[in-house]
Amino acid sequence: MIVLVVTYIAKEGQEARLEERLREMTRLTRREPGCIDYNAQRAVDNPRKYILYERYINQDALDAHANADYFKKYVLGEYPDLLESRTRELYKPVE
C-alpha cells in the first residue's frame, strides 16, 4: 500500500471552485480499481488550506491515477489557476 498526502493552498477567492473540482476528483478517483481511499478535507483554522489523504494498493495504482484523463484535466489543467501552492508527500505503512 502507498499513501499520498497532498496539501493545497487555494488562491484567495478560488475556494468554491477548488471545492467543486475536489468533489469531482473524489467521485472519479474512488471508482479506480487501485484506490483504497480518497478524502479531501478543509482546514478549520485556514479556509484556504486543504489536504487530500489518498491510499492506493501500490505504486502502479497511483501512477494509473496520475495518468487518468480527469487527473490531467483537473489537477494538471485547472488546479494551477486555483492554487497558490501544492505539496505532496508519499508514505508507506510501518510494518
Side-chain angles (χ1 to χ4, degrees):
M1 179 176 55
I2 190 163
V3 174
L4 176 62
V5 177
V6 183
T7 303
Y8 292 143
I9 304 296
K11 290 180 181 176
E12 193 168 337
Q14 296 300 322
E15 300 88 349
R17 283 187 61 212
L18 178 59
E19 286 189 25
E20 288 174 10
R21 301 309 180 267
L22 289 172
R23 282 191 287 277
E24 183 66 4
M25 281 297 297
T26 298
R27 183 183 68 78
L28 293 166
T29 303
R30 286 180 177 172
R31 294 179 178 173
E32 295 174 13
C35 178
I36 299 169
D37 195 16
Y38 188 95
N39 287 289
Q41 308 290 323
R42 188 176 191 177
V44 173
D45 61 347
N46 181 351
R48 292 177 45 219
K49 184 176 183 178
Y50 298 81
I51 63 161
L52 293 176
Y53 180 77
E54 307 175 38
R55 291 189 307 152
Y56 299 90
I57 58 173
N58 56 29
Q59 183 65 49
D60 288 341
L62 177 57
D63 292 344
H65 169 68
N67 286 307
D69 288 341
Y70 49 86
F71 182 93
K72 292 174 185 175
K73 177 182 177 181
Y74 294 123
V75 178
L76 301 180
E78 294 184 23
Y79 283 20
D81 294 333
L82 306 177
L83 299 176
E84 186 174 293
S85 67
R86 173 182 177 227
T87 59
R88 300 173 74 242
E89 296 178 300
L90 285 174
Y91 296 87
K92 62 181 185 177
V94 176
E95 299 180 27

